[in-house]
Amino acid sequence: MQILDKLDYNPNLSLCLGFFDGVHQGHKVVLKNAVNLALQNGIKSAVITFKEHPLCYLQNRTPKYIIPPQDRLELMEAQGIDYVYLLDFDEDIADLIAVDYLKEVLVNHFKPKFITTGFNHFFGAGKKGDAALLRAYQNEYGYRYFEIPPITYENTLISSSKIRQLVSEGSMENIKNLLGTYFYIKGRVITGNRIGRTISFPTANIEYPDNIIKASRGVYIACVEFDSEKYPAIVNLGKRPTIQGANHNLLLEAHILDFDENIYDKDIKVSFIKKIRDERKFDSLPDLKLQLVQDEQAAIQFFAQNKTV
């Protein structure tokens, strides 16, 4: 897959429009439709998207994504996309009315044979561009438009908004069927205060990425992955209220079950499987240790009954 950061002249493509945060199961249907049309007609497929979500520009927001930006691109490639145009959403783009965006960006540069979007895709100033507009201009500009209807799972609309809601609530067990994978974060293991070792619960600590939506603070059954291996774990996501003098930034502490290796400075991926409890402050370290023993037993029982790692 070729990634380009500027428009060029690349005609006769099967285009796919959207931001695709998370590249969830609904997004994959949209992407696959563009890819299949390309394959059936002997042409190439391309995604037209942006480096940051348009709301970051329009509302001066700090980006909070479902997955890391690089993973978004890798998942697009996994669907078979040939090109990704990863553009800056700037004043020039923001001010284009929908018809001009269609003509000046899409038609003039790509002369598309096909355009695919989800049912709720909007574009152009004031979000005036939609499926109806793309459908109306098919004959004039010589493309066929495909609108992908809502994709649901057990009567739940699969959407980035719904996944974000579940993450913020800590409802991790409901995410996999929508996202296609467990919600996860990645980071490099840093040296902590080593208090976990003093109570027989050593942890691999990573700072929570600033650009990823914040999960609900608490203790989770999880999977830790590094060096192409997966390990069952319990993780605490929080600010360590029990530890006096701790740096109370949001930190993820992963206790890998039945594991005692040094993994400092390794890059790890932590997948959140199920929340056990909310974060709480304990009166003493022995009280904390007692609760961690109970958390560990809950995780051991869970993994004995569920083959998720």
PDB file of all heavy atoms in Angstrom, residues 15-44:
ATOM      1  N   LEU A  15     -12.611   4.802  -5.223  1.00  0.00           N
ATOM      2  CA  LEU A  15     -12.333   5.623  -4.039  1.00  0.00           C
ATOM      3  C   LEU A  15     -13.197   5.212  -2.859  1.00  0.00           C
ATOM      4  O   LEU A  15     -14.332   4.761  -3.015  1.00  0.00           O
ATOM      5  CB  LEU A  15     -12.591   7.099  -4.338  1.00  0.00           C
ATOM      6  CG  LEU A  15     -11.706   7.802  -5.348  1.00  0.00           C
ATOM      7  CD1 LEU A  15     -12.074   9.290  -5.421  1.00  0.00           C
ATOM      8  CD2 LEU A  15     -10.228   7.625  -5.023  1.00  0.00           C
ATOM      9  N   CYS A  16     -12.641   5.442  -1.698  1.00  0.00           N
ATOM     10  CA  CYS A  16     -13.345   5.201  -0.433  1.00  0.00           C
ATOM     11  C   CYS A  16     -13.100   6.425   0.445  1.00  0.00           C
ATOM     12  O   CYS A  16     -11.956   6.841   0.638  1.00  0.00           O
ATOM     13  CB  CYS A  16     -12.777   3.937   0.208  1.00  0.00           C
ATOM     14  SG  CYS A  16     -13.686   3.358   1.620  1.00  0.00           S
ATOM     15  N   LEU A  17     -14.164   7.006   0.967  1.00  0.00           N
ATOM     16  CA  LEU A  17     -14.053   8.247   1.747  1.00  0.00           C
ATOM     17  C   LEU A  17     -14.411   7.999   3.200  1.00  0.00           C
ATOM     18  O   LEU A  17     -15.388   7.323   3.510  1.00  0.00           O
ATOM     19  CB  LEU A  17     -14.991   9.313   1.171  1.00  0.00           C
ATOM     20  CG  LEU A  17     -14.983   9.539  -0.348  1.00  0.00           C
ATOM     21  CD1 LEU A  17     -15.953  10.659  -0.708  1.00  0.00           C
ATOM     22  CD2 LEU A  17     -13.576   9.845  -0.851  1.00  0.00           C
ATOM     23  N   GLY A  18     -13.613   8.579   4.101  1.00  0.00           N
ATOM     24  CA  GLY A  18     -13.922   8.480   5.527  1.00  0.00           C
ATOM     25  C   GLY A  18     -12.676   8.669   6.353  1.00  0.00           C
ATOM     26  O   GLY A  18     -11.546   8.631   5.837  1.00  0.00           O
ATOM     27  N   PHE A  19     -12.859   8.858   7.661  1.00  0.00           N
ATOM     28  CA  PHE A  19     -11.697   8.965   8.543  1.00  0.00           C
ATOM     29  C   PHE A  19     -11.295   7.601   9.094  1.00  0.00           C
ATOM     30  O   PHE A  19     -10.134   7.304   9.293  1.00  0.00           O
ATOM     31  CB  PHE A  19     -11.965   9.936   9.692  1.00  0.00           C
ATOM     32  CG  PHE A  19     -10.741  10.191  10.522  1.00  0.00           C
ATOM     33  CD1 PHE A  19      -9.713  10.979  10.037  1.00  0.00           C
ATOM     34  CD2 PHE A  19     -10.581   9.593  11.764  1.00  0.00           C
ATOM     35  CE1 PHE A  19      -8.539  11.184  10.766  1.00  0.00           C
ATOM     36  CE2 PHE A  19      -9.427   9.791  12.515  1.00  0.00           C
ATOM     37  CZ  PHE A  19      -8.407  10.588  12.011  1.00  0.00           C
ATOM     38  N   PHE A  20     -12.268   6.761   9.390  1.00  0.00           N
ATOM     39  CA  PHE A  20     -12.035   5.365   9.780  1.00  0.00           C
ATOM     40  C   PHE A  20     -11.262   5.225  11.091  1.00  0.00           C
ATOM     41  O   PHE A  20     -10.336   4.421  11.189  1.00  0.00           O
ATOM     42  CB  PHE A  20     -11.330   4.593   8.652  1.00  0.00           C
ATOM     43  CG  PHE A  20     -12.053   4.636   7.345  1.00  0.00           C
ATOM     44  CD1 PHE A  20     -11.538   5.351   6.264  1.00  0.00           C
ATOM     45  CD2 PHE A  20     -13.266   3.992   7.189  1.00  0.00           C
ATOM     46  CE1 PHE A  20     -12.215   5.400   5.056  1.00  0.00           C
ATOM     47  CE2 PHE A  20     -13.950   4.038   5.977  1.00  0.00           C
ATOM     48  CZ  PHE A  20     -13.428   4.744   4.910  1.00  0.00           C
ATOM     49  N   ASP A  21     -11.638   5.995  12.100  1.00  0.00           N
ATOM     50  CA  ASP A  21     -11.014   5.839  13.410  1.00  0.00           C
ATOM     51  C   ASP A  21     -11.390   4.477  13.976  1.00  0.00           C
ATOM     52  O   ASP A  21     -12.552   4.149  14.158  1.00  0.00           O
ATOM     53  CB  ASP A  21     -11.477   6.942  14.361  1.00  0.00           C
ATOM     54  CG  ASP A  21     -10.787   6.868  15.714  1.00  0.00           C
ATOM     55  OD1 ASP A  21      -9.737   6.197  15.814  1.00  0.00           O
ATOM     56  OD2 ASP A  21     -11.296   7.475  16.684  1.00  0.00           O
ATOM     57  N   GLY A  22     -10.383   3.667  14.241  1.00  0.00           N
ATOM     58  CA  GLY A  22     -10.607   2.334  14.763  1.00  0.00           C
ATOM     59  C   GLY A  22     -10.647   1.263  13.690  1.00  0.00           C
ATOM     60  O   GLY A  22     -10.393   0.095  13.955  1.00  0.00           O
ATOM     61  N   VAL A  23     -10.978   1.651  12.452  1.00  0.00           N
ATOM     62  CA  VAL A  23     -11.189   0.675  11.371  1.00  0.00           C
ATOM     63  C   VAL A  23     -12.007  -0.490  11.919  1.00  0.00           C
ATOM     64  O   VAL A  23     -11.589  -1.654  11.902  1.00  0.00           O
ATOM     65  CB  VAL A  23      -9.869   0.208  10.730  1.00  0.00           C
ATOM     66  CG1 VAL A  23     -10.134  -0.525   9.416  1.00  0.00           C
ATOM     67  CG2 VAL A  23      -8.953   1.390  10.451  1.00  0.00           C
ATOM     68  N   HIS A  24     -13.183  -0.163  12.441  1.00  0.00           N
ATOM     69  CA  HIS A  24     -14.044  -1.165  13.073  1.00  0.00           C
ATOM     70  C   HIS A  24     -14.741  -2.029  12.032  1.00  0.00           C
ATOM     71  O   HIS A  24     -14.515  -1.882  10.820  1.00  0.00           O
ATOM     72  CB  HIS A  24     -15.029  -0.492  14.032  1.00  0.00           C
ATOM     73  CG  HIS A  24     -15.915   0.542  13.419  1.00  0.00           C
ATOM     74  ND1 HIS A  24     -16.762   0.286  12.363  1.00  0.00           N
ATOM     75  CD2 HIS A  24     -16.109   1.861  13.733  1.00  0.00           C
ATOM     76  CE1 HIS A  24     -17.443   1.363  12.056  1.00  0.00           C
ATOM     77  NE2 HIS A  24     -17.063   2.349  12.856  1.00  0.00           N
ATOM     78  N   GLN A  25     -15.594  -2.932  12.499  1.00  0.00           N
ATOM     79  CA  GLN A  25     -16.208  -3.903  11.600  1.00  0.00           C
ATOM     80  C   GLN A  25     -17.081  -3.243  10.536  1.00  0.00           C
ATOM     81  O   GLN A  25     -17.203  -3.752   9.418  1.00  0.00           O
ATOM     82  CB  GLN A  25     -17.019  -4.922  12.407  1.00  0.00           C
ATOM     83  CG  GLN A  25     -16.197  -5.736  13.406  1.00  0.00           C
ATOM     84  CD  GLN A  25     -15.200  -6.665  12.740  1.00  0.00           C
ATOM     85  OE1 GLN A  25     -14.232  -6.225  12.111  1.00  0.00           O
ATOM     86  NE2 GLN A  25     -15.433  -7.966  12.875  1.00  0.00           N
ATOM     87  N   GLY A  26     -17.706  -2.130  10.869  1.00  0.00           N
ATOM     88  CA  GLY A  26     -18.471  -1.393   9.868  1.00  0.00           C
ATOM     89  C   GLY A  26     -17.571  -0.745   8.835  1.00  0.00           C
ATOM     90  O   GLY A  26     -17.847  -0.785   7.628  1.00  0.00           O
ATOM     91  N   HIS A  27     -16.481  -0.140   9.289  1.00  0.00           N
ATOM     92  CA  HIS A  27     -15.514   0.465   8.368  1.00  0.00           C
ATOM     93  C   HIS A  27     -14.964  -0.570   7.385  1.00  0.00           C
ATOM     94  O   HIS A  27     -14.747  -0.280   6.202  1.00  0.00           O
ATOM     95  CB  HIS A  27     -14.342   1.059   9.143  1.00  0.00           C
ATOM     96  CG  HIS A  27     -14.690   2.282   9.924  1.00  0.00           C
ATOM     97  ND1 HIS A  27     -14.018   2.637  11.074  1.00  0.00           N
ATOM     98  CD2 HIS A  27     -15.641   3.238   9.731  1.00  0.00           C
ATOM     99  CE1 HIS A  27     -14.530   3.764  11.543  1.00  0.00           C
ATOM    100  NE2 HIS A  27     -15.512   4.141  10.750  1.00  0.00           N
ATOM    101  N   LYS A  28     -14.723  -1.778   7.881  1.00  0.00           N
ATOM    102  CA  LYS A  28     -14.138  -2.812   7.019  1.00  0.00           C
ATOM    103  C   LYS A  28     -15.067  -3.163   5.859  1.00  0.00           C
ATOM    104  O   LYS A  28     -14.595  -3.467   4.755  1.00  0.00           O
ATOM    105  CB  LYS A  28     -13.807  -4.052   7.851  1.00  0.00           C
ATOM    106  CG  LYS A  28     -12.622  -3.837   8.782  1.00  0.00           C
ATOM    107  CD  LYS A  28     -12.426  -5.007   9.734  1.00  0.00           C
ATOM    108  CE  LYS A  28     -11.304  -4.704  10.725  1.00  0.00           C
ATOM    109  NZ  LYS A  28     -11.174  -5.748  11.757  1.00  0.00           N
ATOM    110  N   VAL A  29     -16.371  -3.108   6.102  1.00  0.00           N
ATOM    111  CA  VAL A  29     -17.310  -3.367   5.016  1.00  0.00           C
ATOM    112  C   VAL A  29     -17.197  -2.281   3.947  1.00  0.00           C
ATOM    113  O   VAL A  29     -17.212  -2.559   2.735  1.00  0.00           O
ATOM    114  CB  VAL A  29     -18.758  -3.451   5.553  1.00  0.00           C
ATOM    115  CG1 VAL A  29     -19.754  -3.622   4.409  1.00  0.00           C
ATOM    116  CG2 VAL A  29     -18.900  -4.602   6.545  1.00  0.00           C
ATOM    117  N   VAL A  30     -17.054  -1.032   4.385  1.00  0.00           N
ATOM    118  CA  VAL A  30     -16.897   0.083   3.454  1.00  0.00           C
ATOM    119  C   VAL A  30     -15.610  -0.073   2.647  1.00  0.00           C
ATOM    120  O   VAL A  30     -15.603   0.041   1.414  1.00  0.00           O
ATOM    121  CB  VAL A  30     -16.903   1.428   4.211  1.00  0.00           C
ATOM    122  CG1 VAL A  30     -16.694   2.593   3.256  1.00  0.00           C
ATOM    123  CG2 VAL A  30     -18.213   1.610   4.985  1.00  0.00           C
ATOM    124  N   LEU A  31     -14.516  -0.349   3.333  1.00  0.00           N
ATOM    125  CA  LEU A  31     -13.224  -0.502   2.667  1.00  0.00           C
ATOM    126  C   LEU A  31     -13.232  -1.689   1.696  1.00  0.00           C
ATOM    127  O   LEU A  31     -12.744  -1.589   0.568  1.00  0.00           O
ATOM    128  CB  LEU A  31     -12.122  -0.679   3.710  1.00  0.00           C
ATOM    129  CG  LEU A  31     -11.840   0.541   4.598  1.00  0.00           C
ATOM    130  CD1 LEU A  31     -11.040   0.129   5.830  1.00  0.00           C
ATOM    131  CD2 LEU A  31     -11.096   1.623   3.833  1.00  0.00           C
ATOM    132  N   LYS A  32     -13.799  -2.795   2.138  1.00  0.00           N
ATOM    133  CA  LYS A  32     -13.837  -3.996   1.299  1.00  0.00           C
ATOM    134  C   LYS A  32     -14.675  -3.774   0.044  1.00  0.00           C
ATOM    135  O   LYS A  32     -14.363  -4.327  -1.021  1.00  0.00           O
ATOM    136  CB  LYS A  32     -14.373  -5.182   2.098  1.00  0.00           C
ATOM    137  CG  LYS A  32     -13.323  -5.943   2.874  1.00  0.00           C
ATOM    138  CD  LYS A  32     -12.311  -6.589   1.932  1.00  0.00           C
ATOM    139  CE  LYS A  32     -11.322  -7.467   2.681  1.00  0.00           C
ATOM    140  NZ  LYS A  32     -10.279  -8.006   1.757  1.00  0.00           N
ATOM    141  N   ASN A  33     -15.724  -2.981   0.141  1.00  0.00           N
ATOM    142  CA  ASN A  33     -16.525  -2.720  -1.042  1.00  0.00           C
ATOM    143  C   ASN A  33     -15.689  -1.998  -2.099  1.00  0.00           C
ATOM    144  O   ASN A  33     -15.736  -2.338  -3.290  1.00  0.00           O
ATOM    145  CB  ASN A  33     -17.752  -1.884  -0.684  1.00  0.00           C
ATOM    146  CG  ASN A  33     -18.733  -1.776  -1.836  1.00  0.00           C
ATOM    147  OD1 ASN A  33     -19.421  -2.727  -2.158  1.00  0.00           O
ATOM    148  ND2 ASN A  33     -18.786  -0.596  -2.464  1.00  0.00           N
ATOM    149  N   ALA A  34     -14.923  -0.998  -1.652  1.00  0.00           N
ATOM    150  CA  ALA A  34     -14.054  -0.279  -2.601  1.00  0.00           C
ATOM    151  C   ALA A  34     -13.006  -1.206  -3.186  1.00  0.00           C
ATOM    152  O   ALA A  34     -12.717  -1.158  -4.391  1.00  0.00           O
ATOM    153  CB  ALA A  34     -13.395   0.902  -1.893  1.00  0.00           C
ATOM    154  N   VAL A  35     -12.425  -2.064  -2.374  1.00  0.00           N
ATOM    155  CA  VAL A  35     -11.406  -2.998  -2.844  1.00  0.00           C
ATOM    156  C   VAL A  35     -12.002  -4.001  -3.834  1.00  0.00           C
ATOM    157  O   VAL A  35     -11.422  -4.273  -4.887  1.00  0.00           O
ATOM    158  CB  VAL A  35     -10.761  -3.738  -1.648  1.00  0.00           C
ATOM    159  CG1 VAL A  35      -9.894  -4.898  -2.131  1.00  0.00           C
ATOM    160  CG2 VAL A  35      -9.922  -2.763  -0.823  1.00  0.00           C
ATOM    161  N   ASN A  36     -13.164  -4.548  -3.501  1.00  0.00           N
ATOM    162  CA  ASN A  36     -13.783  -5.538  -4.390  1.00  0.00           C
ATOM    163  C   ASN A  36     -14.154  -4.939  -5.744  1.00  0.00           C
ATOM    164  O   ASN A  36     -13.986  -5.578  -6.788  1.00  0.00           O
ATOM    165  CB  ASN A  36     -15.019  -6.129  -3.714  1.00  0.00           C
ATOM    166  CG  ASN A  36     -14.660  -7.037  -2.559  1.00  0.00           C
ATOM    167  OD1 ASN A  36     -13.540  -7.552  -2.472  1.00  0.00           O
ATOM    168  ND2 ASN A  36     -15.597  -7.252  -1.644  1.00  0.00           N
ATOM    169  N   LEU A  37     -14.649  -3.707  -5.737  1.00  0.00           N
ATOM    170  CA  LEU A  37     -14.962  -3.046  -7.000  1.00  0.00           C
ATOM    171  C   LEU A  37     -13.711  -2.860  -7.850  1.00  0.00           C
ATOM    172  O   LEU A  37     -13.744  -3.028  -9.078  1.00  0.00           O
ATOM    173  CB  LEU A  37     -15.624  -1.688  -6.728  1.00  0.00           C
ATOM    174  CG  LEU A  37     -17.062  -1.730  -6.204  1.00  0.00           C
ATOM    175  CD1 LEU A  37     -17.494  -0.357  -5.704  1.00  0.00           C
ATOM    176  CD2 LEU A  37     -18.016  -2.208  -7.304  1.00  0.00           C
ATOM    177  N   ALA A  38     -12.611  -2.521  -7.191  1.00  0.00           N
ATOM    178  CA  ALA A  38     -11.347  -2.362  -7.913  1.00  0.00           C
ATOM    179  C   ALA A  38     -10.894  -3.685  -8.521  1.00  0.00           C
ATOM    180  O   ALA A  38     -10.520  -3.753  -9.696  1.00  0.00           O
ATOM    181  CB  ALA A  38     -10.279  -1.808  -6.978  1.00  0.00           C
ATOM    182  N   LEU A  39     -10.941  -4.740  -7.725  1.00  0.00           N
ATOM    183  CA  LEU A  39     -10.488  -6.041  -8.207  1.00  0.00           C
ATOM    184  C   LEU A  39     -11.360  -6.541  -9.358  1.00  0.00           C
ATOM    185  O   LEU A  39     -10.856  -7.116 -10.334  1.00  0.00           O
ATOM    186  CB  LEU A  39     -10.506  -7.053  -7.060  1.00  0.00           C
ATOM    187  CG  LEU A  39      -9.482  -6.815  -5.933  1.00  0.00           C
ATOM    188  CD1 LEU A  39      -9.711  -7.785  -4.787  1.00  0.00           C
ATOM    189  CD2 LEU A  39      -8.056  -6.937  -6.458  1.00  0.00           C
ATOM    190  N   GLN A  40     -12.654  -6.334  -9.247  1.00  0.00           N
ATOM    191  CA  GLN A  40     -13.574  -6.805 -10.281  1.00  0.00           C
ATOM    192  C   GLN A  40     -13.407  -6.055 -11.597  1.00  0.00           C
ATOM    193  O   GLN A  40     -13.792  -6.577 -12.659  1.00  0.00           O
ATOM    194  CB  GLN A  40     -15.015  -6.661  -9.780  1.00  0.00           C
ATOM    195  CG  GLN A  40     -15.371  -7.596  -8.633  1.00  0.00           C
ATOM    196  CD  GLN A  40     -16.614  -7.169  -7.891  1.00  0.00           C
ATOM    197  OE1 GLN A  40     -17.340  -6.262  -8.334  1.00  0.00           O
ATOM    198  NE2 GLN A  40     -16.883  -7.794  -6.754  1.00  0.00           N
ATOM    199  N   ASN A  41     -12.849  -4.854 -11.528  1.00  0.00           N
ATOM    200  CA  ASN A  41     -12.746  -4.028 -12.724  1.00  0.00           C
ATOM    201  C   ASN A  41     -11.308  -3.750 -13.155  1.00  0.00           C
ATOM    202  O   ASN A  41     -11.072  -2.902 -14.025  1.00  0.00           O
ATOM    203  CB  ASN A  41     -13.495  -2.709 -12.495  1.00  0.00           C
ATOM    204  CG  ASN A  41     -15.002  -2.902 -12.405  1.00  0.00           C
ATOM    205  OD1 ASN A  41     -15.692  -2.919 -13.427  1.00  0.00           O
ATOM    206  ND2 ASN A  41     -15.514  -3.070 -11.192  1.00  0.00           N
ATOM    207  N   GLY A  42     -10.362  -4.443 -12.558  1.00  0.00           N
ATOM    208  CA  GLY A  42      -8.974  -4.314 -12.963  1.00  0.00           C
ATOM    209  C   GLY A  42      -8.366  -2.953 -12.726  1.00  0.00           C
ATOM    210  O   GLY A  42      -7.517  -2.495 -13.509  1.00  0.00           O
ATOM    211  N   ILE A  43      -8.795  -2.275 -11.642  1.00  0.00           N
ATOM    212  CA  ILE A  43      -8.251  -0.956 -11.313  1.00  0.00           C
ATOM    213  C   ILE A  43      -7.725  -0.964  -9.877  1.00  0.00           C
ATOM    214  O   ILE A  43      -7.735  -2.001  -9.210  1.00  0.00           O
ATOM    215  CB  ILE A  43      -9.321   0.155 -11.506  1.00  0.00           C
ATOM    216  CG1 ILE A  43     -10.543  -0.112 -10.615  1.00  0.00           C
ATOM    217  CG2 ILE A  43      -9.739   0.241 -12.972  1.00  0.00           C
ATOM    218  CD1 ILE A  43     -11.611   0.977 -10.672  1.00  0.00           C
ATOM    219  N   LYS A  44      -7.268   0.176  -9.399  1.00  0.00           N
ATOM    220  CA  LYS A  44      -6.728   0.292  -8.051  1.00  0.00           C
ATOM    221  C   LYS A  44      -7.737   0.966  -7.124  1.00  0.00           C
ATOM    222  O   LYS A  44      -8.621   1.704  -7.564  1.00  0.00           O
ATOM    223  CB  LYS A  44      -5.431   1.111  -8.058  1.00  0.00           C
ATOM    224  CG  LYS A  44      -4.318   0.515  -8.905  1.00  0.00           C
ATOM    225  CD  LYS A  44      -3.787  -0.772  -8.295  1.00  0.00           C
ATOM    226  CE  LYS A  44      -2.570  -1.275  -9.049  1.00  0.00           C
ATOM    227  NZ  LYS A  44      -2.037  -2.516  -8.449  1.00  0.00           N
TER     228      LYS A  44
END
